[in-house]
Structure formats: C-alpha cells, structure tokens
Amino acid sequence: MGSSRFSFANLAIALSLCLGSITYGYDFSIISTTVGQASWYAYFGLTTVATNPNYEYSNQIIGTVFGLFSAGAIFGAIFVGWLCDRYGRRPALVVAAIINVIGGALQAGSVHIGMFLAARFVTGFSGSMFVTLVPIYIAEVAPPASRGLLVGQHGAFFLTGYTLAAWVGVGSYFSSSAAFNWRFPLSLQALWPLLVLVFFKWLPESPRWLVSNGRRDEAWAILSRLHYDPKDPEQSFANREFAQITQQIELDQQTYGDCGYVDLFTRPHFRKRTLIGALVMWASQANGAIVIYSNIVSLVAGLGFNSTQSLLLSAGWITLACVGNFTNAFFLDKLGRVKSMMIGMSGCVVFTIIEAAIVANYGGTQNKAALAAGVAMLFGFIIFYGGFVDTTIYVYGSEIFPTHIRAKGMGWCMAIFFLSTLPFLESSAVGFATIGWKYYLLFIILPSINVVLIYFFCPETKGLSLEEINGVFNDKVAMQLTRIDGEGAATDSGVLETDTGNNSNNETEKTDAKIQVV
C-alpha cells in the first residue's frame, strides 16, 4: 500500500535545504553578537556610554542596523514568491545563495557605517528568500503524515544558525585582534550559502511545481523516487498522491486560472488564508521574541552581568531555543499547529509578566538573586517560544495556500513577518533606554489578544495532504488521500475517494468533497 511516512530521500532533501535555513538564522543572529563587540563600536565611531555625545546617534544606528535587515527581508519575501513560481524552486534557491554571499562579504569588508547598513539590507533581502522558499520546498516533497516534522526542520535549523552565530561571537570576543572580533563572524555569513550551492545539483525540483507547469513525466519520476518503498513494488502511495496532485492542480486551474498577488486579496477563499497567515506571522513577532533575540546580550548585561557573562548566557539562551525548535518539530504532527501556537504564546505571556515585575522592582539594584531570576525568566520564555511557536509558524504558513499560489502566499506571510519586526526592532533600544520595564507591557497585552484570535480564526491542518487542506478553507478537493480517525489524526486512507459528477461537456471529473471525520 506504500508509505505515507517520510523516506531517506525526503529527509536528505529537507536537511540539504536547511542549509538555507542556517543561512538566514546566522545572518539575522550574528548582528546580536556584533553589537556586543566593543571593537565594532570603536571602528564605526559609536558608543554605548549614555554620557557620550554620540549616544543617541549610536542608538539610532543600532535600530537602523536591525531595521534595514527586516526592510530588505520584506522585499526579498515578495520577490521570491514571484521568482519561484515563474522559474521554479531550484533556480530561486541559487539566486538567493548568490545574493547572500555578496551581502555577507560586503558586511565583513565594510569600511564605513553606510556600507555596513547597505550590506545588511542586501543580506536581509536574500535571507528572507531562504526563509520563505525552504519551508515551501520541503512541504511540497513531504508526505502528509510527517510534513510537520520535515518542514519543522526549517525552524529548527535556522535556530542552529542562531546558535552557531552566538558561539562564534563568543569565541571571537576573546581574540586579541580588534578587527577579527567582528569581521570574522560576519565573514562566515558567506559559508552557508556556498554550501547550498554545493548541494544544489542533486536537489530535485518540486513535483507540484512541475505538474503545475505541465511537466508531469518529470514530476512522476521525482515523486516515485521520494516515496519509494521496497515492500510496495506497485508504488501505490506514490500513485495515489500523484493522482491527487494532478487532479487538484487541474481543478484549481479550471476554477481560478492564473493567479497573482492581487488575487490573494480579491478572491474570498484566498483572502481568508491571507488574513490568517498575516495573523499568525504578526502574532509570532508581537510577543517580544524578536526583541529578546536581538537584544539578549544587552538585556542580560542590564541585569547586572559583565560582558563575558552576558555573551555566555546569551549563547546558552539561543542554544536552548535551538533545542526547543527541534523538539517542536518532533511533536508538531501529533499536537497540531493551532494548539502548539496557543500553548507557546500563552507561556510567553506568563514569563514576560514575571520578567517585567523583576526589572521594575530590582533593575539597577545589587540584588543578585532577583537579577538571576530575571535571566531565568528569559530562559523560561524561550522554552515556550522555541518549543511551541518558532517552528510551527513556518509549517502553517507553507501549507495553508494551494499549490498554484503557495509561493506568493508564503511570500506575503513572510513579508508580514518581517514588517511586524520593524516597529519592535526600531524601537527596542530606545524603548528599553527610556521607559525601561514598561516596554514589556507591549508583549503582555498584544499576545494575549492574539491567542484569542488564533483560537477563533485559525483552522487545524495537521496530517492532511496539501491538496486536502483546500477543504478546510471550503475550496473544492479533487481527491481524498488521507482520512481523519476518531482521535483527530489524519492517516493514509488506502483508497482514493472522489465525489464525481460529469458536467455538460463530459469533461474532467470534479468533486466538492470536504475533509470529514470518519
């Protein structure tokens, strides 16, 4: 009957693509340790001393460094949505890698703060191409029952990039060379996209993209290899999935025709997905994770720890986040997407409330026990964010859109993701400097509202094939491949179920079947 579980080929493709995930994670996170290096401030004439005349200017530059990465990422997400639909997932991966190498090299070789800022924009542009494309790519080659696990590796591995950046930053801090302190960590940004180019040759194109572009023979050759099972010489699961993909794409093309970004907002069924995707991405950033990620070194230092301790604790914090993301990926197919996000965001709110109280009452004091508790609250926060949210959002965004508009939909989601980071990244340094603990109130009120919205508006998608998720959004499903058991878990049905009806011209059979509990 074939296997709906992942094969070695699925796993190998996912892990190779995750080099792109590491690229994004390293690109984003390395700046957190860079702005913790005194030699970087000295080279560009900046300061962290409040009494220095350049203090306000320095804070503005730091905000701009973070903000330009996100600004570039917004454009990169929209661009890659168009690029990988037009030319395919593989060519888009190459373009992202080449641009990223250029951005990393420019940062490492910067001789002026303007050059550095421009390079951050370029790196953000290419980094978001990876963070948008990789989950789409993996989702389109993953079996339904293990899609959460495989796509979840994307979130887990970009946290690997965060972790690598943190420990590279720690190691570079102890170098006696002022230039090495910050230039070497930045130069490693070029390594990961170069590795992407090394592994690129043997990565297959997405079979769903091939079918949507009329290249069915190529799609079948790839799909049969991905789902190969020596116990099933007839390749029954691969045959069933191929039939489902081809019929669903035909049905979608007949129903909607060619679709562009405008259709995300003008067609009701797409608009619902678009708004839900925006909600999930906004909610993931409005709980303060991006602010803590970006300012973890300075936040720990603000709790009374010296530079060395702050770098070590921040590296440990990010390492724990990485472990949490891998854990999230492993139980996501069982727990479900919506429940995972709600648990994670609720837990983050609890720890943020305690953190705000500690900073309000003990910040700036010598109460070591209270300040240590403040650091512990930051670790508690990341257990819930990394363990329940950070991986889930990419899985969810990559699967709620139909194939013919998935890349543009995910591009939109990631544009909202990065757009949502801008107000927090731009304001965080000034916010903590001016209103202190009260800045945390944002990350108590906003996520509390978002948890309620996710509960009421986000449907569950775990276990269903990408084509069957159309039924969750009241679109037509051409063929059912999975079924949902009495416990709410989707499994391989073993049969192809269709509601067929000949139209007046006896054309292609269609179905209005919805996914139902049986």
Side-chain angles (χ1 to χ4, degrees):
M1 190 160 68
S3 175
S4 60
R5 297 288 175 177
F6 69 86
S7 64
F8 174 78
N10 296 132
L11 183 61
I13 291 168
L15 295 181
S16 297
L17 288 169
C18 283
L19 287 167
S21 310
I22 293 175
T23 299
Y24 165 76
Y26 191 93
D27 287 351
F28 176 82
S29 188
I30 194 60
I31 199 65
S32 297
T33 56
T34 301
V35 299
Q37 301 280 13
S39 56
W40 182 82
Y41 284 87
Y43 185 86
F44 290 114
L46 305 175
T47 183
T48 58
V49 180
T51 56
N52 191 297
N54 286 334
Y55 181 69
E56 183 176 348
Y57 167 76
S58 297
N59 276 343
Q60 292 173 347
I61 289 294
I62 298 302
T64 304
V65 166
F66 288 119
L68 277 176
F69 184 93
S70 291
I74 294 170
F75 291 102
I78 298 297
F79 173 70
V80 78
W82 167 82
L83 183 67
C84 67
D85 267 352
R86 179 68 178 83
Y87 296 102
R89 288 27 172 170
R90 292 180 82 244
L93 196 70
V94 173
V95 172
I98 292 172
I99 297 175
N100 202 270
V101 170
I102 294 171
L106 288 174
Q107 279 183 67
S110 289
V111 296
H112 185 273
I113 192 62
M115 180 179 177
F116 190 87
L117 293 174
R120 283 299 290 171
F121 181 90
V122 172
T123 308
F125 184 94
S126 56
S128 78
M129 291 180 69
F130 280 122
V131 84
T132 303
L133 174 58
V134 169
I136 295 171
Y137 209 149
I138 298 175
E140 292 183 343
V141 300
S146 54
R147 191 173 57 248
L149 171 63
L150 292 176
V151 179
Q153 299 309 303
H154 165 65
F157 272 93
F158 79 67
L159 256 294
T160 300
Y162 280 28
T163 304
L164 288 169
W167 288 108
V168 167
V170 169
S172 300
Y173 175 79
F174 293 101
S175 171
S176 59
S177 170
F180 186 89
N181 289 154
W182 62 274
R183 290 193 189 273
F184 174 73
L186 291 171
S187 69
L188 286 184
Q189 289 177 103
L191 172 62
W192 320 113
L194 286 173
L195 290 176
V196 170
L197 294 174
V198 170
F199 283 93
F200 162 76
K201 288 187 177 181
W202 72 275
L203 288 174
E205 183 56 84
S206 160
R208 286 176 167 87
W209 183 85
L210 290 169
V211 170
S212 66
N213 284 269
R215 296 161 62 179
R216 296 190 180 188
D217 290 343
E218 294 174 63
W220 167 248
I222 292 169
L223 200 64
S224 61
R225 187 169 71 251
L226 292 176
H227 295 323
Y228 175 72
D229 184 351
K231 298 179 181 179
D232 176 32
E234 295 182 357
Q235 301 188 74
S236 57
F237 181 78
N239 273 290
R240 294 198 306 277
E241 186 175 45
F242 184 70
Q244 185 188 56
I245 291 170
T246 54
Q247 291 195 26
Q248 188 65 49
I249 288 175
E250 285 178 359
L251 177 58
D252 289 342
Q253 289 174 342
Q254 291 171 14
T255 304
Y256 298 111
D258 293 332
C259 296
Y261 274 110
V262 174
D263 293 285
L264 291 174
F265 307 95
T266 58
R267 297 179 185 255
H269 291 185
F270 295 163
R271 184 165 59 241
K272 181 179 180 180
R273 294 170 165 94
T274 299
L275 294 175
I276 287 173
L279 168 62
V280 167
M281 293 302 172
W282 154 256
S284 72
Q285 300 309 298
N287 71 345
I290 193 68
V291 170
I292 300 176
Y293 272 143
S294 304
N295 297 279
I296 183 64
V297 176
S298 59
L299 289 176
V300 173
L303 290 170
F305 294 86
N306 62 38
S307 296
T308 302
Q309 292 170 329
S310 298
L311 282 171
L312 288 171
L313 283 169
S314 65
W317 186 87
I318 292 173
T319 302
L320 181 61
C322 182
V323 173
N325 275 37
F326 276 106
T327 304
N328 189 184
F330 276 99
F331 67 68
L332 190 55
D333 285 311
K334 183 67 174 178
L335 180 61
R337 285 56 158 155
V338 175
K339 188 181 294 185
S340 182
M341 288 188 285
M342 291 177 61
I343 292 172
M345 291 178 190
S346 298
C348 289
V349 169
V350 172
F351 281 99
T352 302
I353 290 172
I354 301 173
E355 176 73 11
I358 290 172
V359 174
N361 289 284
Y362 300 102
T365 72
Q366 298 300 313
N367 190 322
K368 293 185 178 180
L371 297 177
V375 174
M377 293 308 103
L378 294 178
F379 276 80
F381 177 99
I382 201 56
I383 287 173
F384 274 87
Y385 185 76
F388 293 92
V389 180
D390 208 9
T391 290
T392 307
I393 59 173
Y394 301 102
V395 176
Y396 197 71
S398 70
E399 63 189 12
I400 61 175
F401 294 92
T403 295
H404 64 289
I405 204 166
R406 180 170 297 115
K408 294 183 178 68
M410 187 62 174
W412 155 261
C413 287
M414 294 314 304
I416 293 298
F417 175 95
F418 290 111
L419 184 62
S420 299
T421 67
L422 279 176
F424 303 121
L425 290 176
E426 289 284 359
S427 66
S428 60
V430 176
F432 282 121
T434 55
I435 61 175
W437 70 270
K438 294 179 182 178
Y439 190 71
Y440 283 115
L441 293 177
L442 274 176
F443 310 122
I444 297 171
I445 297 170
L446 292 177
S448 298
I449 296 171
N450 291 331
V451 167
V452 176
L453 294 176
I454 287 172
Y455 175 79
F456 283 106
F457 294 107
C458 294
E460 184 54 66
T461 57
K462 70 171 181 177
L464 301 173
S465 71
L466 293 176
E467 288 68 33
E468 288 163 350
I469 290 173
N470 281 2
V472 174
F473 292 94
N474 298 317
D475 268 343
K476 296 178 180 179
V477 177
M479 184 174 288
Q480 184 169 313
L481 181 64
T482 63
R483 63 180 174 84
I484 300 179
D485 64 25
E487 297 180 351
T491 60
D492 179 4
S493 67
V495 296
L496 290 176
E497 299 177 9
T498 58
D499 268 345
T500 59
N502 293 330
N503 60 21
S504 58
N505 296 319
N506 295 318
E507 293 177 345
T508 304
E509 294 179 329
K510 302 178 183 179
T511 178
D512 292 325
K514 301 294 193 313
I515 307 304
Q516 300 177 349
V517 176
V518 296

